[in-house]
Amino acid sequence: GNSVTQMEGPVTLSEEAFLTINCTYTATGYPSLFWYVQYPGEGLQLLLKATKADDKGSNKGFEATYRKETTSFHLEKGSVQVSDSAVYFCALSDRSNYQLIWGAGTKLIIKP
Amino acid sequence: EAGVAQSPRYKIIEKRQSVAFWCNPISGHATLYWYQQILGQGPKLLIQFQNNGVVDDSQLPKDRFSAERLKGVDSTLKIQPAKLEDSAVYLCASSFQQGDYGYTFGSGTRLTVV
């Protein structure tokens, strides 16, 4: 069945460091891929998405490229800020029912 | 555009008591989801509505959980009786229609069962 695997956290970085959070998936067909962010005490927010191979989603300085050959959708940011501290979830959309399959989440801690 | 509204934000109950959560989706969003998020885990889908019909409730523990969406707008999720393992954040989300549009989530209700 479909599944999403994320790197375990927490990931701790200093401000202005480069960020990569790895996400790989297993799916039949060609799912859409998403990154969601959950700030402390808040609900989930859609950060970015990509709907087909080689698409790049981007938002708020974050980017992720849909890599079909490696079944990956890694999240990157060139220079992180303390305000980026949150939990990041990778997810895929099962096109048979448009339900989201979620990774376990990666907690990101940015130190000043 | 107003977001997805949920209430209450927090609830503490004793085991075997009942509890209800309310969700008001974004106006015009036909699809509504209830998720359970246990601390440290990703969200788990409990039930999906399309207008006021149930699309998928395969992961809803129907012996204790129930949900309804009257008139295809607001929705309530009920737990009766609650167990300790029901302690979680209950998230409501809505989308314009089924598809790859991403969902809009509410802030959730944090339930603690003691």
Side-chain angles (χ1 to χ4, degrees):
Chain A
N2 297 338
S3 66
V4 174
T5 303
Q6 289 182 237
M7 64 189 292
E8 286 192 26
V11 172
T12 303
L13 296 172
S14 297
E15 207 166 19
E16 299 183 5
F18 185 87
L19 168 71
T20 300
I21 300 179
N22 291 337
C23 171
T24 57
Y25 67 90
T26 302
T28 53
Y30 303 97
S32 291
L33 301 172
F34 303 84
W35 277 101
Y36 280 81
V37 59
Q38 189 170 34
Y39 297 103
E42 298 186 15
L44 289 151
Q45 299 176 26
L46 177 63
L47 181 60
L48 53 84
K49 69 176 184 178
T51 59
K52 60 183 187 297
D54 300 325
D55 264 4
K56 177 185 283 189
S58 61
N59 187 23
K60 299 181 181 180
F62 291 89
E63 292 183 340
T65 301
Y66 190 142
R67 301 285 188 200
K68 180 170 172 289
E69 63 277 10
T70 55
T71 61
S72 65
F73 193 55
H74 304 321
L75 183 68
E76 296 181 337
K77 186 174 185 182
S79 176
V80 292
Q81 305 300 313
V82 172
S83 57
D84 294 326
S85 298
V87 180
Y88 292 80
F89 291 91
C90 184
L92 68 81
S93 175
D94 183 334
R95 290 192 192 235
S96 67
N97 58 19
Y98 296 110
Q99 291 178 5
L100 290 179
I101 310 297
W102 297 84
T106 302
K107 184 174 184 178
L108 175 64
I109 300 169
I110 307 299
K111 296 188 173 181
Chain B
E1 174 181 80
V4 176
Q6 287 189 247
S7 67
R9 284 299 307 273
Y10 306 94
K11 190 74 177 180
I12 301 174
I13 62 172
E14 295 182 350
K15 60 183 179 184
R16 292 188 289 274
Q17 286 187 324
S18 62
V19 64
F21 313 125
W22 173 81
C23 173
N24 180 234
I26 291 174
S27 178
H29 279 196
T31 310
L32 185 147
Y33 310 82
W34 282 102
Y35 282 88
Q36 179 192 59
Q37 186 178 19
I38 293 173
L39 186 66
Q41 299 181 17
K44 169 190 166 186
L45 179 68
L46 294 175
I47 189 167
Q48 176 183 352
F49 291 95
Q50 182 70 17
N51 295 308
N52 60 349
V54 175
V55 174
D56 184 354
D57 63 358
S58 57
Q59 297 194 83
L60 187 73
K62 298 181 186 63
D63 57 334
R64 298 184 300 106
F65 286 64
S66 64
E68 60 182 8
R69 190 183 185 197
L70 300 176
K71 301 180 181 178
V73 182
D74 292 8
S75 177
T76 56
L77 176 70
K78 296 179 181 178
I79 307 175
Q80 181 179 12
K83 293 185 175 181
L84 295 176
E85 59 260 36
D86 297 332
S87 295
V89 176
Y90 291 84
L91 295 163
C92 179
S94 70
S95 64
F96 180 63
Q97 58 185 335
Q98 291 194 97
D100 297 331
Y101 306 103
Y103 308 168
T104 301
F105 282 85
S107 296
T109 297
R110 181 177 297 277
L111 174 67
T112 303
V113 182
V114 298

Short mmCIF file of all heavy atoms in Angstrom, two decimals, chain B residues 5-13 18-24 32 34-36 46 64-68 74-80 82 86-92 108-113:
data_model
loop_
_atom_site.label_atom_id
_atom_site.label_comp_id
_atom_site.label_asym_id
_atom_site.label_seq_id
_atom_site.Cartn_x
_atom_site.Cartn_y
_atom_site.Cartn_z
N ALA B 5 -13.40 26.41 11.68
CA ALA B 5 -13.58 26.68 13.10
C ALA B 5 -13.85 25.39 13.85
O ALA B 5 -14.64 24.55 13.39
CB ALA B 5 -14.75 27.65 13.30
N GLN B 6 -13.20 25.24 14.99
CA GLN B 6 -13.42 24.07 15.83
C GLN B 6 -13.62 24.53 17.27
O GLN B 6 -13.02 25.50 17.71
CB GLN B 6 -12.22 23.11 15.79
CG GLN B 6 -12.08 22.34 14.50
CD GLN B 6 -11.03 21.25 14.62
OE1 GLN B 6 -9.98 21.33 13.97
NE2 GLN B 6 -11.30 20.23 15.42
N SER B 7 -14.43 23.77 17.97
CA SER B 7 -14.58 24.02 19.41
C SER B 7 -14.95 22.73 20.11
O SER B 7 -15.51 21.82 19.49
CB SER B 7 -15.65 25.10 19.66
OG SER B 7 -16.93 24.60 19.29
N PRO B 8 -14.60 22.62 21.40
CA PRO B 8 -13.76 23.54 22.16
C PRO B 8 -12.29 23.37 21.78
O PRO B 8 -11.95 22.49 21.02
CB PRO B 8 -14.01 23.08 23.60
CG PRO B 8 -14.23 21.60 23.47
CD PRO B 8 -15.00 21.43 22.17
N ARG B 9 -11.41 24.23 22.27
CA ARG B 9 -9.98 24.08 22.01
C ARG B 9 -9.37 23.00 22.89
O ARG B 9 -8.48 22.28 22.47
CB ARG B 9 -9.24 25.39 22.26
CG ARG B 9 -9.40 26.44 21.20
CD ARG B 9 -8.87 25.98 19.83
NE ARG B 9 -7.50 25.49 19.85
CZ ARG B 9 -6.42 26.24 19.73
NH1 ARG B 9 -6.53 27.54 19.62
NH2 ARG B 9 -5.20 25.69 19.74
N TYR B 10 -9.87 22.90 24.11
CA TYR B 10 -9.35 21.92 25.06
C TYR B 10 -10.53 21.28 25.80
O TYR B 10 -11.53 21.93 26.04
CB TYR B 10 -8.41 22.58 26.09
CG TYR B 10 -7.29 23.37 25.48
CD1 TYR B 10 -7.42 24.74 25.25
CD2 TYR B 10 -6.11 22.74 25.11
CE1 TYR B 10 -6.40 25.46 24.68
CE2 TYR B 10 -5.07 23.46 24.53
CZ TYR B 10 -5.22 24.82 24.32
OH TYR B 10 -4.20 25.53 23.75
N LYS B 11 -10.33 20.00 26.16
CA LYS B 11 -11.35 19.30 26.93
C LYS B 11 -10.66 18.24 27.77
O LYS B 11 -9.83 17.47 27.25
CB LYS B 11 -12.37 18.66 25.99
CG LYS B 11 -13.61 18.11 26.67
CD LYS B 11 -14.53 19.22 27.11
CE LYS B 11 -15.80 18.65 27.72
NZ LYS B 11 -16.72 19.73 28.17
N ILE B 12 -11.00 18.21 29.05
CA ILE B 12 -10.51 17.17 29.94
C ILE B 12 -11.72 16.43 30.49
O ILE B 12 -12.63 17.05 31.05
CB ILE B 12 -9.68 17.75 31.10
CG1 ILE B 12 -8.48 18.53 30.55
CG2 ILE B 12 -9.22 16.65 32.05
CD1 ILE B 12 -7.68 19.26 31.62
N ILE B 13 -11.74 15.11 30.33
CA ILE B 13 -12.86 14.31 30.84
C ILE B 13 -12.30 13.07 31.50
O ILE B 13 -11.14 12.69 31.30
CB ILE B 13 -13.83 13.90 29.71
CG1 ILE B 13 -13.13 13.03 28.67
CG2 ILE B 13 -14.47 15.12 29.07
CD1 ILE B 13 -14.07 12.43 27.65
N SER B 18 -18.66 10.94 28.14
CA SER B 18 -18.84 11.23 26.72
C SER B 18 -18.37 12.65 26.43
O SER B 18 -18.29 13.50 27.32
CB SER B 18 -20.30 11.07 26.32
OG SER B 18 -21.10 11.99 27.03
N VAL B 19 -18.05 12.90 25.15
CA VAL B 19 -17.57 14.22 24.74
C VAL B 19 -17.96 14.44 23.28
O VAL B 19 -18.10 13.47 22.51
CB VAL B 19 -16.04 14.32 24.93
CG1 VAL B 19 -15.30 13.34 24.03
CG2 VAL B 19 -15.54 15.74 24.72
N ALA B 20 -18.15 15.69 22.92
CA ALA B 20 -18.50 16.02 21.54
C ALA B 20 -17.66 17.18 21.07
O ALA B 20 -17.38 18.12 21.83
CB ALA B 20 -19.98 16.36 21.42
N PHE B 21 -17.26 17.12 19.81
CA PHE B 21 -16.48 18.19 19.19
C PHE B 21 -17.28 18.73 18.00
O PHE B 21 -17.99 17.98 17.32
CB PHE B 21 -15.14 17.66 18.67
CG PHE B 21 -14.40 16.80 19.63
CD1 PHE B 21 -14.00 15.52 19.29
CD2 PHE B 21 -14.09 17.27 20.89
CE1 PHE B 21 -13.30 14.72 20.17
CE2 PHE B 21 -13.40 16.48 21.79
CZ PHE B 21 -13.01 15.20 21.43
N TRP B 22 -17.08 20.00 17.76
CA TRP B 22 -17.84 20.67 16.68
C TRP B 22 -16.89 21.27 15.65
O TRP B 22 -15.80 21.75 16.00
CB TRP B 22 -18.73 21.75 17.29
CG TRP B 22 -19.43 22.61 16.31
CD1 TRP B 22 -20.57 22.34 15.64
CD2 TRP B 22 -19.03 23.92 15.88
NE1 TRP B 22 -20.92 23.40 14.82
CE2 TRP B 22 -19.98 24.38 14.95
CE3 TRP B 22 -17.94 24.74 16.20
CZ2 TRP B 22 -19.90 25.62 14.34
CZ3 TRP B 22 -17.85 25.98 15.59
CH2 TRP B 22 -18.82 26.41 14.67
N CYS B 23 -17.29 21.23 14.40
CA CYS B 23 -16.48 21.79 13.32
C CYS B 23 -17.37 22.55 12.34
O CYS B 23 -18.41 22.04 11.92
CB CYS B 23 -15.74 20.68 12.58
SG CYS B 23 -14.86 21.24 11.09
N ASN B 24 -16.94 23.73 11.97
CA ASN B 24 -17.60 24.52 10.92
C ASN B 24 -16.60 24.73 9.81
O ASN B 24 -15.62 25.47 9.98
CB ASN B 24 -18.09 25.85 11.49
CG ASN B 24 -18.79 26.70 10.44
OD1 ASN B 24 -18.45 27.85 10.20
ND2 ASN B 24 -19.77 26.12 9.80
N LEU B 32 -15.36 17.23 4.03
CA LEU B 32 -14.97 17.48 5.42
C LEU B 32 -14.36 16.21 5.99
O LEU B 32 -14.84 15.10 5.73
CB LEU B 32 -16.19 17.90 6.25
CG LEU B 32 -15.94 18.31 7.70
CD1 LEU B 32 -16.93 19.41 8.10
CD2 LEU B 32 -16.04 17.14 8.64
N TRP B 34 -12.44 14.37 9.56
CA TRP B 34 -12.03 14.35 10.96
C TRP B 34 -10.80 13.47 11.08
O TRP B 34 -10.80 12.33 10.60
CB TRP B 34 -13.13 13.81 11.85
CG TRP B 34 -14.24 14.75 12.16
CD1 TRP B 34 -15.48 14.79 11.62
CD2 TRP B 34 -14.21 15.80 13.15
NE1 TRP B 34 -16.23 15.80 12.17
CE2 TRP B 34 -15.47 16.43 13.13
CE3 TRP B 34 -13.25 16.27 14.05
CZ2 TRP B 34 -15.81 17.50 13.95
CZ3 TRP B 34 -13.58 17.34 14.87
CH2 TRP B 34 -14.84 17.94 14.82
N TYR B 35 -9.79 14.02 11.75
CA TYR B 35 -8.55 13.29 11.99
C TYR B 35 -8.30 13.20 13.49
O TYR B 35 -8.64 14.09 14.25
CB TYR B 35 -7.35 14.01 11.37
CG TYR B 35 -7.19 13.85 9.88
CD1 TYR B 35 -7.82 14.72 8.99
CD2 TYR B 35 -6.38 12.85 9.37
CE1 TYR B 35 -7.65 14.57 7.63
CE2 TYR B 35 -6.21 12.70 8.00
CZ TYR B 35 -6.84 13.57 7.13
OH TYR B 35 -6.67 13.43 5.79
N GLN B 36 -7.61 12.14 13.87
CA GLN B 36 -7.10 11.99 15.23
C GLN B 36 -5.57 12.06 15.16
O GLN B 36 -4.96 11.34 14.37
CB GLN B 36 -7.53 10.64 15.83
CG GLN B 36 -7.02 10.39 17.23
CD GLN B 36 -7.21 8.94 17.65
OE1 GLN B 36 -6.71 8.02 17.02
NE2 GLN B 36 -7.97 8.73 18.72
N LEU B 46 -10.24 9.62 10.52
CA LEU B 46 -11.34 8.91 11.16
C LEU B 46 -12.53 8.77 10.22
O LEU B 46 -13.12 7.70 10.09
CB LEU B 46 -11.78 9.63 12.44
CG LEU B 46 -10.76 9.66 13.58
CD1 LEU B 46 -11.30 10.52 14.73
CD2 LEU B 46 -10.46 8.26 14.06
N ARG B 64 -17.61 3.25 19.69
CA ARG B 64 -17.59 4.38 20.64
C ARG B 64 -17.59 5.74 19.96
O ARG B 64 -17.91 6.73 20.58
CB ARG B 64 -16.35 4.27 21.53
CG ARG B 64 -16.31 3.02 22.37
CD ARG B 64 -15.12 3.00 23.31
NE ARG B 64 -13.85 3.05 22.60
CZ ARG B 64 -13.08 4.12 22.54
NH1 ARG B 64 -13.44 5.23 23.16
NH2 ARG B 64 -11.93 4.08 21.90
N PHE B 65 -17.20 5.80 18.71
CA PHE B 65 -17.15 7.07 17.98
C PHE B 65 -18.32 7.16 17.01
O PHE B 65 -18.69 6.17 16.37
CB PHE B 65 -15.85 7.17 17.16
CG PHE B 65 -14.60 7.43 17.96
CD1 PHE B 65 -14.14 6.50 18.88
CD2 PHE B 65 -13.88 8.61 17.77
CE1 PHE B 65 -12.98 6.74 19.61
CE2 PHE B 65 -12.72 8.84 18.49
CZ PHE B 65 -12.27 7.90 19.40
N SER B 66 -18.85 8.37 16.89
CA SER B 66 -19.87 8.63 15.88
C SER B 66 -19.68 10.04 15.35
O SER B 66 -19.12 10.90 16.04
CB SER B 66 -21.28 8.47 16.45
OG SER B 66 -21.51 9.44 17.46
N ALA B 67 -20.09 10.26 14.13
CA ALA B 67 -19.97 11.60 13.53
C ALA B 67 -21.15 11.82 12.60
O ALA B 67 -21.69 10.88 12.02
CB ALA B 67 -18.66 11.72 12.76
N GLU B 68 -21.53 13.08 12.50
CA GLU B 68 -22.59 13.43 11.57
C GLU B 68 -22.31 14.79 10.97
O GLU B 68 -21.59 15.61 11.55
CB GLU B 68 -23.95 13.42 12.25
CG GLU B 68 -24.10 14.39 13.41
CD GLU B 68 -25.47 14.30 14.07
OE1 GLU B 68 -26.26 13.40 13.73
OE2 GLU B 68 -25.75 15.15 14.93
N ASP B 74 -21.96 22.08 9.02
CA ASP B 74 -21.29 21.78 10.28
C ASP B 74 -21.23 20.28 10.52
O ASP B 74 -22.06 19.51 10.02
CB ASP B 74 -22.05 22.41 11.45
CG ASP B 74 -21.99 23.92 11.43
OD1 ASP B 74 -21.48 24.48 10.44
OD2 ASP B 74 -22.45 24.55 12.39
N SER B 75 -20.29 19.90 11.36
CA SER B 75 -20.15 18.49 11.71
C SER B 75 -19.85 18.36 13.19
O SER B 75 -19.23 19.25 13.79
CB SER B 75 -19.04 17.84 10.89
OG SER B 75 -18.85 16.49 11.26
N THR B 76 -20.30 17.25 13.78
CA THR B 76 -19.94 16.94 15.15
C THR B 76 -19.35 15.54 15.20
O THR B 76 -19.77 14.63 14.47
CB THR B 76 -21.15 17.01 16.10
OG1 THR B 76 -22.17 16.14 15.61
CG2 THR B 76 -21.68 18.42 16.22
N LEU B 77 -18.38 15.37 16.07
CA LEU B 77 -17.75 14.08 16.35
C LEU B 77 -17.96 13.78 17.82
O LEU B 77 -17.70 14.63 18.66
CB LEU B 77 -16.26 14.13 16.02
CG LEU B 77 -15.42 12.88 16.34
CD1 LEU B 77 -15.78 11.75 15.40
CD2 LEU B 77 -13.93 13.20 16.25
N LYS B 78 -18.46 12.59 18.11
CA LYS B 78 -18.75 12.23 19.50
C LYS B 78 -18.00 10.97 19.89
O LYS B 78 -17.82 10.05 19.07
CB LYS B 78 -20.26 12.01 19.69
CG LYS B 78 -21.09 13.24 19.45
CD LYS B 78 -22.58 12.94 19.63
CE LYS B 78 -23.42 14.18 19.37
NZ LYS B 78 -24.88 13.91 19.48
N ILE B 79 -17.59 10.94 21.15
CA ILE B 79 -16.96 9.75 21.72
C ILE B 79 -17.77 9.37 22.95
O ILE B 79 -18.00 10.20 23.84
CB ILE B 79 -15.50 9.99 22.13
CG1 ILE B 79 -14.69 10.58 20.96
CG2 ILE B 79 -14.86 8.70 22.59
CD1 ILE B 79 -13.27 10.97 21.34
N GLN B 80 -18.23 8.12 22.98
CA GLN B 80 -19.02 7.66 24.12
C GLN B 80 -18.96 6.15 24.21
O GLN B 80 -19.46 5.47 23.31
CB GLN B 80 -20.48 8.13 23.95
CG GLN B 80 -21.39 7.74 25.10
CD GLN B 80 -22.82 8.24 24.91
OE1 GLN B 80 -23.19 8.70 23.83
NE2 GLN B 80 -23.62 8.16 25.94
N ALA B 82 -15.52 7.40 26.55
CA ALA B 82 -14.12 7.66 26.24
C ALA B 82 -13.20 6.69 26.99
O ALA B 82 -13.51 6.24 28.09
CB ALA B 82 -13.76 9.10 26.60
N ASP B 86 -7.92 7.50 23.96
CA ASP B 86 -8.53 8.50 23.07
C ASP B 86 -7.91 9.88 23.26
O ASP B 86 -8.24 10.82 22.52
CB ASP B 86 -10.03 8.60 23.32
CG ASP B 86 -10.76 7.30 23.02
OD1 ASP B 86 -10.28 6.53 22.16
OD2 ASP B 86 -11.80 7.05 23.66
N SER B 87 -7.02 10.02 24.23
CA SER B 87 -6.34 11.30 24.44
C SER B 87 -5.53 11.64 23.19
O SER B 87 -4.65 10.88 22.78
CB SER B 87 -5.41 11.23 25.65
OG SER B 87 -6.14 11.04 26.84
N ALA B 88 -5.85 12.76 22.58
CA ALA B 88 -5.26 13.14 21.30
C ALA B 88 -5.77 14.52 20.92
O ALA B 88 -6.61 15.10 21.62
CB ALA B 88 -5.66 12.14 20.20
N VAL B 89 -5.27 15.03 19.80
CA VAL B 89 -5.85 16.23 19.20
C VAL B 89 -6.75 15.77 18.06
O VAL B 89 -6.36 14.96 17.23
CB VAL B 89 -4.75 17.16 18.66
CG1 VAL B 89 -5.39 18.37 17.95
CG2 VAL B 89 -3.86 17.65 19.79
N TYR B 90 -7.97 16.29 18.05
CA TYR B 90 -8.92 15.95 17.00
C TYR B 90 -9.01 17.13 16.04
O TYR B 90 -9.37 18.24 16.41
CB TYR B 90 -10.28 15.59 17.61
CG TYR B 90 -10.17 14.28 18.34
CD1 TYR B 90 -9.71 14.23 19.66
CD2 TYR B 90 -10.44 13.08 17.69
CE1 TYR B 90 -9.54 13.02 20.31
CE2 TYR B 90 -10.27 11.86 18.34
CZ TYR B 90 -9.81 11.85 19.64
OH TYR B 90 -9.63 10.64 20.28
N LEU B 91 -8.62 16.86 14.81
CA LEU B 91 -8.51 17.89 13.79
C LEU B 91 -9.63 17.74 12.77
O LEU B 91 -9.94 16.64 12.32
CB LEU B 91 -7.18 17.78 13.05
CG LEU B 91 -5.92 18.03 13.88
CD1 LEU B 91 -4.71 17.50 13.15
CD2 LEU B 91 -5.77 19.51 14.15
N CYS B 92 -10.21 18.86 12.43
CA CYS B 92 -11.19 18.91 11.35
C CYS B 92 -10.53 19.62 10.17
O CYS B 92 -9.77 20.58 10.35
CB CYS B 92 -12.43 19.66 11.81
SG CYS B 92 -13.71 19.82 10.55
N GLY B 108 -7.91 22.49 15.91
CA GLY B 108 -8.00 21.23 16.64
C GLY B 108 -8.57 21.36 18.03
O GLY B 108 -8.62 22.46 18.61
N THR B 109 -9.01 20.24 18.56
CA THR B 109 -9.45 20.13 19.96
C THR B 109 -8.53 19.14 20.66
O THR B 109 -8.41 18.00 20.22
CB THR B 109 -10.89 19.63 20.06
OG1 THR B 109 -11.78 20.56 19.45
CG2 THR B 109 -11.28 19.42 21.52
N ARG B 110 -7.88 19.62 21.71
CA ARG B 110 -6.99 18.72 22.46
C ARG B 110 -7.80 18.04 23.55
O ARG B 110 -8.29 18.71 24.46
CB ARG B 110 -5.82 19.49 23.06
CG ARG B 110 -4.85 18.59 23.82
CD ARG B 110 -3.65 19.37 24.34
NE ARG B 110 -2.87 19.93 23.25
CZ ARG B 110 -1.96 19.28 22.55
NH1 ARG B 110 -1.71 18.01 22.83
NH2 ARG B 110 -1.30 19.88 21.59
N LEU B 111 -7.96 16.73 23.47
CA LEU B 111 -8.72 15.95 24.44
C LEU B 111 -7.77 15.20 25.35
O LEU B 111 -6.86 14.53 24.89
CB LEU B 111 -9.63 14.94 23.73
CG LEU B 111 -10.37 13.96 24.65
CD1 LEU B 111 -11.39 14.70 25.50
CD2 LEU B 111 -11.03 12.85 23.85
N THR B 112 -7.99 15.35 26.65
CA THR B 112 -7.27 14.57 27.65
C THR B 112 -8.27 13.75 28.42
O THR B 112 -9.21 14.29 29.01
CB THR B 112 -6.49 15.48 28.61
OG1 THR B 112 -5.60 16.31 27.86
CG2 THR B 112 -5.69 14.65 29.61
N VAL B 113 -8.06 12.43 28.42
CA VAL B 113 -8.93 11.52 29.16
C VAL B 113 -8.14 11.03 30.38
O VAL B 113 -7.04 10.48 30.24
CB VAL B 113 -9.38 10.33 28.29
CG1 VAL B 113 -10.33 9.44 29.08
CG2 VAL B 113 -10.05 10.83 27.03
#
